[in-house]
Amino acid sequence: MKILHVIANLAPRYGGPAKAIMGMTRSLAERGHQVTIFTTNQDGPGTLDVPLYEPMHKDGVEIRYFPIQQPKFWGTSFGLAKALEEHIPNYDIVHTHSLYLFHNLVSGHYCRKFGVPYIVRPHGTLDPYIYQRNRGRKRVMEWLFEHRNIKRASALHYTTEEEMILAKPYTFDSQGFVVPNGVDLSEYKTLPPKGTFRELYPELAGKKIVLFFSRLNFKKGLDILIEAFDKIKDVHPDAHLVIAGPDNENYGSKVKEWIGERHLTDKVLFTGMVTGQQKLAVLQEADLFVLPSYSENFGISVIEALICGTPVLISDKVNIWREVAAHQAGRVAPCDSDQFAKEMASLLSDLNLCEKMGELGKQFVAEYYSWNQIGVVLEEEYKKIINTTKSRMNVMEAVI
C-alpha cells in the first residue's frame, strides 16, 4: 500500500502526537508498505533545521517538510497545500492527525476531490473538556470544513475505547476503530544504571522521586498536583517532586507561582525537556509517576513509565485509565487534590506494592503496546477501508 500521513508538526516539543506518528509509520514501513509523512517545519516560535520540499528518510519512512507561515497557530503552509494537491492522487489511503488545523482543510478537500479514502485521527480534540475550549473559533472551522471532513471520512481513528465514547456526540455516527499508540520495546531493553539521574541532581540524594513527565500545559492538572503534593509534604518529608517536560506556552511561570505560594520551592525540581538516556534514567528512578490530567487522549508518557517498571498514579480523565486499573499497573483517582494526595501518600508508603505494580506494568505494556503488534492491526484497518472504497466505486461504475 502507498500510505500518506499528514500532521501539522513533528518537533519533539509537541509531545505525544509527533512521537506516535513516527512509531506508527515505522511499523507500517517495516511491513513493506510505502509510507510518507507530510508536515511543516514548525518548532514553537522558530523552525526545525530540516530540508524543505525535498524528501528525507528515517526508519524507512519518507518525510517531507514544508515551510510554516502565518497564522502559525493554524499550522498554515501553502507549500504543504500545493504538495497535497499534487500527490494525494498517488496514494491508496491518507491518514490525517488532529482537527481544526490547516492541513485538515486541505487534505480532506483533495481526498474527496480525487476519490482517495481518508482517516481522521482526532487526537483527543473531541473530548468534551477540549471540545468546549475556543468554541467560537472552532464553530467557524466546523462550518467551513471540519464537519464535512468528519462526516465523509472513511473512518475515525481513536487510541482508546474511552476516547471513542467521549467523542460520540460530535461525530455524526461516523465509523470508527480503536488502535492504540505504542512504544518501541527495544528502546527500553537496556536502561541506565540506577542512580544515573540522581547523580545529575545532588538535591535528590536520599529522596523519593514523584515524577511529572509531560508538557507543562493547562490540561495536565498541575494545579491538582501541586496542591496534592503540598498535602503530603509533612507525611512524606523525603518526597521530592520532579517536573520534567517542555514549557511551550510559558505555563511553567504559573506553576512556579503555586509552588512559591505553598513554600515548596526547595521540594520541586524543574528539569525542562529530557530525552535519550536521561529520559530513561528519570523514568526508571522515579518512585512514582503522576499525571492528574483534566483531559488526556492517550498518555504515551504513562506507557513509557510502565515499561520502565515505575508505578503510575493517573486521573480518570487519562483515557487509558481503565486498562491501567484492570491490569493493576497503577492507581486511578478523580481530578481532585484530596484524592490524589491520599493515593500518592498510600503508594509512597508501600514499596512492596509499588514494586509489584512496576512488574505488572512492564508485562502489560509488552503484551499490548508494542509497535510491531500495532502495525499489524493498523494494516488490517487500512485494507478494509481500501477494499470497501473499491467496492463502492465498482458499484457506481456498474450503475453508470
Side-chain angles (χ1 to χ4, degrees), residues 12 135 159 176 185 226 254 332 345 352:
R135 189 89 287 274
T159 51
L185 297 180
I226 300 305
K254 185 176 291 188
V332 179
N352 289 332

Side-chain angles (χ1 to χ4, degrees), residues 27-251:
S27 70
L28 291 163
E30 287 173 352
R31 297 191 60 75
H33 302 292
Q34 184 177 329
V35 189
T36 303
I37 299 173
F38 278 12
T39 187
T40 76
N41 64 341
Q42 184 178 19
D43 186 14
T47 56
L48 293 172
D49 183 16
V50 292
L52 298 177
Y53 299 101
E54 297 300 320
M56 58 179 292
H57 294 84
K58 183 178 181 181
D59 299 328
V61 179
E62 179 184 295
I63 306 173
R64 293 189 184 228
Y65 291 92
F66 301 91
I68 189 71
Q69 298 168 252
Q70 295 292 350
K72 289 185 179 181
F73 76 86
W74 199 32
T76 312
S77 174
F78 294 114
L80 172 63
K82 185 176 180 182
L84 288 170
E85 180 182 19
E86 179 182 350
H87 292 282
I88 276 178
N90 301 325
Y91 288 92
D92 298 308
I93 194 164
V94 175
H95 199 147
T96 65
H97 297 253
S98 296
L99 300 180
Y100 306 111
L101 293 167
F102 178 82
H103 70 275
N104 303 115
L105 164 65
V106 179
S107 57
H109 170 75
Y110 287 122
C111 282
R112 292 189 295 272
K113 179 178 179 179
F114 297 117
V116 176
Y118 67 96
I119 295 167
V120 172
R121 189 179 185 204
H123 272 305
T125 50
L126 298 180
D127 180 314
Y129 179 79
I130 300 298
Y131 182 80
Q132 295 302 331
R133 288 183 63 85
N134 302 312
R135 189 89 287 274
R137 187 174 74 197
K138 288 178 179 176
R139 189 173 287 114
V140 172
M141 287 188 271
E142 287 163 356
W143 178 76
L144 288 173
F145 65 92
E146 206 62 273
H147 279 168
R148 189 181 309 113
N149 277 351
I150 291 172
K151 290 177 181 178
R152 298 184 62 180
S154 299
L156 301 183
H157 172 194
Y158 305 103
T159 51
T160 62
E161 292 287 343
E162 186 81 358
E163 182 191 6
M164 185 160 64
I165 292 168
L166 291 171
K168 188 173 177 58
Y170 316 116
T171 58
F172 310 100
D173 295 322
S174 296
Q175 178 182 337
F177 62 82
V178 176
V179 176
N181 289 333
V183 292
D184 182 352
L185 297 180
S186 65
E187 291 181 13
Y188 303 87
K189 200 168 185 179
T190 305
L191 298 175
K194 286 274 189 178
T196 300
F197 186 76
R198 283 179 168 85
E199 286 180 5
L200 297 173
Y201 299 97
E203 62 266 44
L204 297 176
K207 303 293 186 181
K208 291 180 180 177
I209 296 176
V210 177
L211 175 64
F212 173 90
F213 187 87
S214 190
R215 289 182 299 122
L216 277 60
N217 182 270
F218 72 92
K219 77 171 187 173
K220 300 292 182 175
L222 280 157
D223 53 336
I224 297 171
L225 177 57
I226 300 305
E227 193 171 337
F229 191 77
D230 185 39
K231 294 175 190 292
I232 70 159
K233 70 177 186 295
D234 294 330
V235 181
H236 290 282
D238 58 344
H240 205 96
L241 178 60
V242 174
I243 297 178
D247 185 11
N248 300 335
E249 300 146 7
N250 197 32
Y251 191 73

